[in-house]
Amino acid sequence: MAKRVTGPEIEKLIQLLAKVPGLGPRSARRAALHLIKKKEQLLGPLGHAMDEAYHKVKICSCCGNVDTIDPCTVCSDVQRDQAVIIVVEDVSDLWALERAGAMNTAYHVLGGTLSPLDGVGPEDLNIKGLIDRVSVGGIRELIIAVNATVEGQATAHYITDRLTDLGVKITRLAHGVPVGGELDYLDEGTLTAALRARTAI
Amino acid sequence: MAKRVTGPEIEKLIQLLAKVPGLGPRSARRAALHLIKKKEQLLGPLGHAMDEAYHKVKICSCCGNVDTIDPCTVCSDVQRDQAVIIVVEDVSDLWALERAGAMNTAYHVLGGTLSPLDGVGPEDLNIKGLIDRVSVGGIRELIIAVNATVEGQATAHYITDRLTDLGVKITRLAHGVPVGGELDYLDEGTLTAALRARTAI
C-alpha cells in the first residue's frame, strides 16, 4: 500500500495471510477483511485454533504423520492392520489415501523424494525409520505409494533395493486410466501402462 | 475424512481455514499442512496476528474504515485534504483507491449498497453518518465512488438526493475504457459512455 490506511496489526495480518498457499497479496486483503467482518465466528476461533495447533502439533515419531499425539491417531489405531505399511511422500498423500478409504493399514511418510539436483539424499528422508520398522519384524507388506514422477519412481527403486533383503513383500500402486478419465486426454505412457496391465472382464 | 487420521485440533484448524474466502476444503488441508511445516515462521506468527487483530480491531466511528485506532489512520491524517470525501461501498474499495494513490483525501465507507430485494434500506448503510459529516460543514467535495452496478448507481442517486440541499459539490467517477483494456472485449454501455465523454487530444 502506498500510504498507510490501517493499523500495523492489520497490515501484519495481511502480510502473513499472503504467505498461505492459495492466497496471494490481493486475496489476503480480501480474506483479512472477511475475517474482521466475521470477527466472532471466524477471526477469533481461527486465531485460537492456530494457537492450539502451534502448541500441540507433533510429528509422529513412528510414521511421520502430523498429529497432536505421538504415536499418531493412525499408528495407535488397533483396528488397523499395522502389518501393512503404505509408504507415501507427504502427509497430504496419507490424508488423500485415507479419504479414498480403500485400505485400513498403517502408513509411513518419507517427507519428500530423492532429488540429487536439489541436494536431497536418502539421509534427508525418513527412510532409516522405515527400515527400522520393517527390521523389527511383523510387517507383511509394504505398498509403495509415491507419486508417479521421475523422483518418486527413483525413490521407490531405492527403497525396494534397501528392503529387498528383509524378506517383506513390496508392492506399488497400479498404473492405468484414472476412473472417469477420457483416453483422448491421457499421455502415451499412461495408455501403454494401461494396455500392458489390462485385465479380463 | 472417512476416518480420523489426525488430532481434533488440526481438523478444527482445517475446518476453519476452509471458511476463509479463496480457500476451499481441499486447499484448506494443503494450507494447514503448509502452516504446520512452517510452524515457527508462519503458524505461530499468524495465530498471534489473528489474536491481536481480534482484540484490537475497531471500525472507525467517523468513516467506517477498519483499523486498530479510532478515528482511523486515514481520518487522523492531518496531511490529507479532509475537506474532500470519497464515498465507497466497502473498506476494500477504500484500500483499492489508496493503492492507486491518485488522491490524498478523506473517505466514507457506506458498508454496502441499497438493495430493497435483500432488505437493505438507507438505515442499514452508514448514510446518516455521511450526512452528519457534511452538515457539520467544511466539506468541499464528495466523490461518489460506488461500483458501477445497478445497486451502486441507485445508492449514488439516493445519496445525491439527500445531500444536494447542503450545498456541497458532488462528483462521481468517470466511465470509460479501462487503461490497458481492449475495445473488442468491452460491453456496449462502456463504449457508449467512453464515446460520449471523449476528450480532446
Side-chain angles (χ1 to χ4, degrees):
Chain A
M1 252 170 258
K3 238 172 302 169
R4 274 199 40 214
V5 290
T6 189
E9 295 88 349
I10 296 169
E11 285 187 3
K12 180 87 188 162
L13 174 64
I14 295 170
Q15 270 174 28
L16 288 167
L17 276 173
K19 292 184 186 168
V20 175
L23 298 178
R26 188 173 287 257
S27 41
R29 279 192 299 268
R30 206 158 48 91
L33 281 172
H34 182 84
L35 288 172
I36 288 167
K37 269 184 198 161
K38 304 248 173 192
K39 200 179 148 211
E40 297 303 331
Q41 306 101 297
L42 199 49
L43 180 60
L46 189 53
H48 180 71
M50 287 192 179
D51 205 46
E52 278 238 307
Y54 176 76
H55 285 105
K56 291 192 185 171
V57 76
K58 290 180 185 70
I59 306 298
C60 176
S61 56
C62 175
C63 77
N65 186 19
V66 158
D67 207 326
T68 44
I69 51 170
D70 181 16
C72 74
T73 310
V74 174
C75 285
S76 53
D77 185 347
V78 290
Q79 299 195 338
R80 284 175 186 270
D81 184 353
Q82 299 282 352
V84 177
I85 299 178
I86 304 184
V87 180
V88 293
E89 287 179 22
D90 205 81
V91 176
S92 56
D93 301 324
L94 188 167
W95 293 3
L97 287 166
E98 275 300 298
R99 283 197 300 282
M103 303 288 279
N104 194 23
T105 63
Y107 284 88
H108 193 85
V109 181
L110 294 173
T113 47
L114 296 176
S115 178
L117 283 176
D118 300 322
V120 181
E123 64 288 347
D124 299 312
L125 303 179
N126 191 10
I127 293 178
K128 193 183 166 297
L130 179 62
I131 295 171
D132 290 348
R133 278 176 85 179
V134 175
S135 301
V136 169
I139 304 298
R140 202 166 65 243
E141 182 178 353
L142 279 187
I143 306 175
I144 313 281
V146 293
N147 291 331
T149 55
V150 175
E151 291 85 2
Q153 296 309 304
T155 310
H157 277 127
Y158 179 84
I159 292 171
T160 311
D161 276 354
R162 289 291 303 272
L163 291 165
T164 201
D165 294 338
L166 295 170
V168 67
K169 182 179 167 190
I170 304 178
T171 55
R172 67 159 176 78
L173 295 185
H175 285 309
V177 179
V179 176
E182 292 184 42
L183 296 193
D184 196 19
Y185 290 97
L186 286 173
D187 62 296
E188 291 77 11
T190 304
L191 289 174
T192 305
L195 278 171
R196 285 202 184 136
R198 65 194 177 276
T199 52
I201 297 178
Chain B
M1 252 169 257
K3 239 172 299 168
R4 274 199 38 214
V5 291
T6 189
E9 295 88 350
I10 297 170
E11 284 186 4
K12 180 86 188 163
L13 175 64
I14 296 170
Q15 271 174 28
L16 288 167
L17 278 173
K19 291 184 186 166
V20 174
L23 297 178
R26 187 174 288 256
S27 41
R29 278 192 299 267
R30 205 157 49 92
L33 280 173
H34 182 83
L35 288 173
I36 288 167
K37 269 183 200 163
K38 305 248 172 193
K39 199 180 149 210
E40 298 303 331
Q41 305 101 299
L42 199 49
L43 180 60
L46 189 53
H48 180 72
M50 286 193 178
D51 205 47
E52 277 239 308
Y54 176 77
H55 286 105
K56 291 192 181 168
V57 76
K58 290 180 185 72
I59 306 299
C60 176
S61 57
C62 175
C63 77
N65 186 19
V66 159
D67 207 325
T68 45
I69 51 171
D70 182 15
C72 74
T73 309
V74 175
C75 285
S76 52
D77 184 348
V78 290
Q79 299 194 337
R80 285 173 186 270
D81 184 354
Q82 300 281 351
V84 177
I85 298 177
I86 305 184
V87 180
V88 293
E89 287 180 21
D90 205 81
V91 175
S92 56
D93 300 325
L94 188 168
W95 293 3
L97 287 166
E98 274 301 299
R99 282 197 301 282
M103 302 290 277
N104 194 23
T105 63
Y107 285 88
H108 193 86
V109 180
L110 294 172
T113 47
L114 296 176
S115 178
L117 283 176
D118 300 321
V120 181
E123 65 287 344
D124 299 311
L125 303 180
N126 190 11
I127 293 177
K128 194 184 166 296
L130 178 63
I131 295 169
D132 290 349
R133 279 176 84 179
V134 176
S135 302
V136 168
I139 304 298
R140 201 166 65 243
E141 181 178 355
L142 279 187
I143 306 175
I144 312 280
V146 293
N147 292 330
T149 54
V150 176
E151 291 85 1
Q153 296 311 304
T155 311
H157 277 127
Y158 179 84
I159 292 171
T160 311
D161 276 356
R162 289 292 302 273
L163 290 165
T164 201
D165 295 340
L166 295 169
V168 68
K169 182 179 167 191
I170 303 178
T171 55
R172 67 159 175 80
L173 295 185
H175 285 307
V177 179
V179 176
E182 293 184 42
L183 296 192
D184 195 20
Y185 289 96
L186 286 173
D187 63 296
E188 291 78 10
T190 304
L191 288 174
T192 306
L195 278 170
R196 286 200 183 138
R198 65 192 177 279
T199 53
I201 297 177

